[in-house]
Amino acid sequence: MRKIYVMASAALLMAACGNKEKEYDATGTFEATETTVFAEQSGALLTFSVNEGDNIEADKEVGLIDTIQTWLKIQQLNATKEVYQSQKPDTERQIAATRQQLEKARTEQRRYQELVNDGAAPSKMLDDATNQVKVLQRQLDAQISSLSTNTRALDKQTAAADVQVSQLQDQLRKCHIVTPTKGSVLEKYVERGEFVSIGKPLFKMADTENMYLRAYVTSAQLQNIKLGQQVKVYADYGDGQKKAYDGTISWISSRSEFTPKTILTDDERADLVYATKVAVKNDGYIKIGMYGEVKF
């Protein structure tokens, strides 16, 4: 009888263990949005105040690439613009003499017209005065056209110089290394004093305040989750130590994939799963790559 009682107790214990509900529905690792900052100009790195582990705010200047040559080119172009401005003709002054001659010729024309009407002068004198008015009018029009052409040409040269100045000012702005977003510096690739070229990576940073758990769910679990759903996330510190966080499902993959080898599930590894992202507000304890669990 005692042997039967022991066997029955063991069976009940095994059944109880088999019916125990899992503490999680999916597992994965914590990730963060990483950003690599590249050099946008070439030159010596005059200042660079970035260290691994630093928490940096967005739009903060953390370095400066040598700007002297770019600044000198801007000064040169500004001087060139002043030369163009000084070469622009004073149209009114340059046509003043011709305009005065034209007014005098028109006065003579009117006087001869009156004399011819009174029969006191021959019509040839009126014809000569009329021709003189026409000649002076053509000279005035030609002067105005030539001066306007010169002015337009100088204006276009000034506008072209303005565009070059704007381009150089943009290059000057890009010499200032500014953080695109807030976050923590993960890796530092250069040091102050080094020569950097366009496209060279300077440092990598990540938004460790707003992290997410990349977990994988089966087809059967898809019907129980949706975007925006509030879930419970557990950060696993090992040795059974876990910390709970509130999470929100922010992304569900529309394409299935084979179960990653790093993800442990109760199904076969050949089963297809769907990647999900669960957004979590980090309190400073969650680290990138840490193992985590989610309960839907």
Side-chain angles (χ1 to χ4, degrees):
M1 289 293 294
R2 182 180 179 184
K3 184 177 180 181
I4 295 175
Y5 175 78
V6 172
M7 293 179 61
S9 299
L12 289 173
L13 181 61
M14 292 178 61
C17 292
N19 293 330
K20 184 179 179 181
E21 184 181 357
K22 285 195 306 181
E23 296 181 356
Y24 59 87
D25 294 312
T27 63
T29 55
F30 286 99
E31 300 178 359
T33 302
E34 298 181 359
T35 303
T36 301
V37 178
F38 296 86
E40 296 184 83
Q41 287 298 312
S42 297
L45 197 57
L46 300 181
T47 63
F48 193 56
S49 58
V50 170
N51 293 297
E52 294 180 357
D54 287 349
N55 290 315
I56 307 177
E57 296 296 323
D59 301 321
K60 180 181 178 181
E61 183 173 328
V62 295
L64 177 65
I65 298 172
D66 186 10
T67 62
I68 293 179
Q69 293 302 317
T70 304
W71 182 82
L72 289 175
K73 289 179 182 179
I74 292 176
Q75 302 309 308
Q76 182 182 19
L77 283 171
N78 285 332
T80 302
K81 287 169 55 180
E82 292 181 2
V83 172
Y84 291 151
Q85 293 297 321
S86 66
Q87 292 176 347
K88 292 177 66 174
D90 188 341
T91 303
E92 289 302 319
R93 284 190 178 184
Q94 294 194 31
I95 67 174
T98 305
R99 194 187 294 278
Q100 187 175 4
Q101 291 175 4
L102 179 60
E103 290 299 324
K104 183 179 179 181
R106 285 173 175 168
T107 301
E108 290 291 324
Q109 182 187 32
R110 288 192 294 269
R111 188 167 65 84
Y112 283 123
Q113 181 69 55
E114 293 175 357
L115 292 173
V116 169
N117 291 339
D118 294 339
S123 59
K124 183 179 182 305
M125 297 182 67
L126 176 60
D127 293 339
D128 291 342
T130 300
N131 289 333
Q132 181 65 17
V133 169
K134 291 180 179 179
V135 170
L136 290 172
Q137 182 64 57
R138 291 192 186 98
Q139 289 180 357
L140 180 63
D141 293 341
Q143 279 184 306
I144 293 174
S145 176
S146 177
L147 293 171
S148 297
T149 299
N150 291 338
T151 300
R152 286 194 299 270
L154 290 170
D155 285 340
K156 289 181 178 179
Q157 288 177 311
T158 302
D162 285 333
V163 172
Q164 289 179 296
V165 169
S166 297
Q167 291 174 334
L168 290 172
Q169 287 176 338
D170 180 63
Q171 294 177 14
L172 200 63
R173 178 188 61 80
K174 291 177 179 178
C175 288
H176 296 264
I177 303 169
V178 179
T179 54
T181 182
K182 69 175 182 178
S184 178
V185 178
L186 301 180
E187 296 181 66
K188 176 181 178 181
Y189 304 121
V190 296
E191 296 292 341
R192 177 176 175 270
E194 289 187 32
F195 184 89
V196 298
S197 55
I198 297 177
K200 181 178 179 63
L202 303 178
F203 63 97
K204 181 189 291 184
M205 60 187 305
D207 182 6
T208 54
E209 182 178 338
N210 300 293
M211 299 186 67
Y212 56 87
L213 177 70
R214 179 184 288 270
Y216 293 83
V217 298
T218 62
S219 301
Q221 291 175 305
L222 281 178
Q223 60 183 346
N224 299 322
I225 63 174
K226 62 180 180 179
L227 292 177
Q229 179 178 335
Q230 300 298 309
V231 297
K232 211 66 177 178
V233 175
Y234 300 91
D236 192 340
Y237 295 93
D239 295 330
Q241 298 182 12
K242 299 180 181 180
K243 189 172 183 180
Y245 295 88
D246 293 326
T248 305
I249 297 178
S250 60
W251 175 75
I252 302 174
S253 176
S254 57
R255 175 182 294 180
S256 63
E257 55 186 288
F258 289 104
T259 308
K261 294 182 179 180
T262 57
I263 304 301
L264 301 177
T265 67
D266 293 336
D267 300 323
E268 295 294 331
R269 291 218 179 267
D271 287 349
L272 295 177
V273 293
Y274 296 82
T276 63
K277 286 184 180 180
V278 182
V280 179
K281 196 76 172 179
N282 189 8
D283 57 358
Y285 291 99
I286 302 177
K287 305 300 180 183
I288 297 175
M290 182 180 288
Y291 182 77
E293 303 166 351
V294 58
K295 183 73 173 178
F296 299 129

